[in-house]
């Protein structure tokens, strides 16, 4: 999977070049290219923005500079994404769909945004990472790269991917490690029992309980067995 990031601040992407993503790049599973939009300015001072027509605060990025940066990376099968608060809010379902693509071009805006005309010409999808205002599209682009990369074949070990399908759409079950007793509190007995089937059942119930208590709205979108529905009904009755 190739990501081409069009940005005015390529240095901001240092953090994503670490850890799991770094290993995936070394294994040639991922390629993350940073394209500085400023390199495509024809201005002698390398200016990329200008005041908005009609007046108002701030600056708008020029369409011609963005188009030239885009033209330097575009391919037949590329999908271009504009990170903006006006986009559809990113969720795990969208992440999985994006992971099927071969070439994503991520356009990061700054200031008051980018001239609308080039957005219309090059953008296939507008995506937001949530309803709050950031100073630019770089952090959203990193969120997208990180979340999508997890689903690229070979990036995660297959165990982690299986674990995730077990808890599909539910919150995680709680985790414990040594010591067995911490400040008077023991690790749940079942986890020490070595009884794998009981452990699996316990974890599934804890995931259901966690989801019911912390994010009940998530349960609407999940296929539960009749037994699991009963388990949740009981949590409701018992007020747990
Ligand atoms: N999820 N921002 C983009 C520039 C901008 C301004 C106006 C389009 C129109 C954000 C988010 C986000 C701040 C990135 C404004 N772009 N992006 N930037 N939340 O807040 O994606």
């Amino acid at each position: 999977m190739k990501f081409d990031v069009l940005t005015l601040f390529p240095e901001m992407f240092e953090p994503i070049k670490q850890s799991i993503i770094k290993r995936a790049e070394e294994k040639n599973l991922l390629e993350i290219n940073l394209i500085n939009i400023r390199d495509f300015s024809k201005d002698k001072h390398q200016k990329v923005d200008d005041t908005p027509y009609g007046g108002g605060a701030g600056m708008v990025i020029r369409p011609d500079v963005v188009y030239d940066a885009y033209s330097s990376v575009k391919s037949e099968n590329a999908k271009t994404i504009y990170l903006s608060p006006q986009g559809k809010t990113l969720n795990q379902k969208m992440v999985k769909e994006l992971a099927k693509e071969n070439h994503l071009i991520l356009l990061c805006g700054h200031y008051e945004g980018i001239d609308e005309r080039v957005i219309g010409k090059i953008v296939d999808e507008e995506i937001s990472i949530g309803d709050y205002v950031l100073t630019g599209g770089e952090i959203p682009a990193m969120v997208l790269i990180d979340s999508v990369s997890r689903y690229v074949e070979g990036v995660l070990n297959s165990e982690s991917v299986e674990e995730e399908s077990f808890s599909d759409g539910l919150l995680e079950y709680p985790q414990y490690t040594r010591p067995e007793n911490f400040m008077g509190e023991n690790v749940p007995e079942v986890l020490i029992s070595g009884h794998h089937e009981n452990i699996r059942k316990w974890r599934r119930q804890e995931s259901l309980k966690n989801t019911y208590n912390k994010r009940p709205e998530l349960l609407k979108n999940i296929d539960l067995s009749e037994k699991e529905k009963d388990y949740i009904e009981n949590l409701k009755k018992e007020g747990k």
Side-chain angles (χ1 to χ4, degrees):
M1 161 88 87
K2 175 155 97 175
F3 295 95
D4 283 316
V5 186
L6 310 180
T7 172
L8 286 170
F9 300 94
E11 324 77 51
M12 281 186 73
F13 289 81
E14 279 310 307
I16 205 159
K17 299 255 172 189
Q18 311 291 323
S19 177
I20 293 179
I21 304 297
K22 185 177 183 175
R23 262 196 32 231
E25 277 202 285
E26 284 163 1
K27 289 201 273 175
N28 292 323
L29 302 169
L30 294 179
E31 179 185 341
I32 305 171
N33 299 317
L34 304 172
I35 295 96
N36 193 338
I37 296 171
R38 198 173 297 284
D39 292 344
F40 295 84
S41 167
K42 291 181 197 80
D43 184 82
K44 62 170 186 267
H45 303 294
Q46 293 213 349
K47 202 168 136 76
V48 294
D49 56 359
D50 213 325
T51 53
Y53 277 113
M59 300 293 268
V60 177
I61 304 175
R62 290 169 57 108
D64 50 352
V65 185
V66 170
Y67 192 80
D68 288 348
Y70 163 78
S71 297
S72 78
V73 296
K74 72 164 181 253
S75 72
E76 193 65 45
N77 60 6
K79 173 171 250 178
T80 304
I81 297 171
Y82 183 35
L83 289 311
S84 123
Q86 297 172 38
K88 185 160 181 272
T89 309
L90 186 67
N91 61 33
Q92 200 64 8
K93 188 173 165 223
M94 290 159 71
V95 165
K96 286 182 191 173
E97 284 301 313
L98 290 171
K100 295 175 186 166
E101 300 289 334
N102 281 311
H103 184 193
L104 293 177
I105 300 174
L106 307 181
L107 176 58
C108 306
H110 243 270
Y111 318 114
E112 304 313 309
I114 299 173
D115 185 291
E116 193 65 26
R117 292 167 294 181
V118 71
I119 303 303
K121 289 225 162 34
I122 72 172
V123 171
D124 298 305
E125 211 173 325
E126 204 165 337
I127 295 179
S128 165
I129 63 159
D131 293 335
Y132 35 77
V133 183
L134 302 168
T135 58
E138 284 75 14
I139 291 172
M142 285 187 262
V143 167
L144 194 145
I145 292 170
D146 192 89
S147 56
V148 169
S149 295
R150 295 178 68 252
Y151 286 107
V152 173
E153 187 71 40
V155 170
L156 290 189
N157 60 43
S158 51
E159 256 179 48
S160 309
V161 181
E162 279 163 40
E163 280 279 292
E164 194 162 273
S165 68
F166 171 72
S167 67
D168 219 3
L170 292 174
L171 300 184
E172 296 295 322
Y173 50 79
Q175 298 279 14
Y176 299 86
T177 186
R178 278 176 274 276
E180 210 173 304
N181 182 288
F182 173 67
M183 294 174 108
E185 194 178 337
N186 281 325
V187 170
E189 193 68 46
V190 62
L191 298 179
I192 297 161
S193 69
H195 194 306
H196 299 298
E197 183 53 18
N198 284 351
I199 292 173
R200 198 194 60 79
K201 280 185 190 152
W202 181 85
R203 284 179 165 169
R204 180 76 185 175
Q205 291 201 338
E206 289 297 308
S207 274
L208 288 166
K209 200 200 297 179
N210 248 347
T211 310
Y212 170 71
N213 284 320
K214 297 177 180 172
R215 298 287 307 279
E217 76 280 9
L218 296 179
L219 290 171
K220 290 188 206 81
N221 311 314
I222 298 170
D223 271 329
L224 299 177
S225 70
E226 290 306 313
K227 265 192 178 157
E228 289 173 336
K229 286 178 195 161
D230 285 348
Y231 177 73
I232 288 172
E233 281 310 309
N234 271 317
L235 291 174
K236 279 185 199 169
K237 280 188 207 128
E238 293 169 19
K240 277 188 186 162

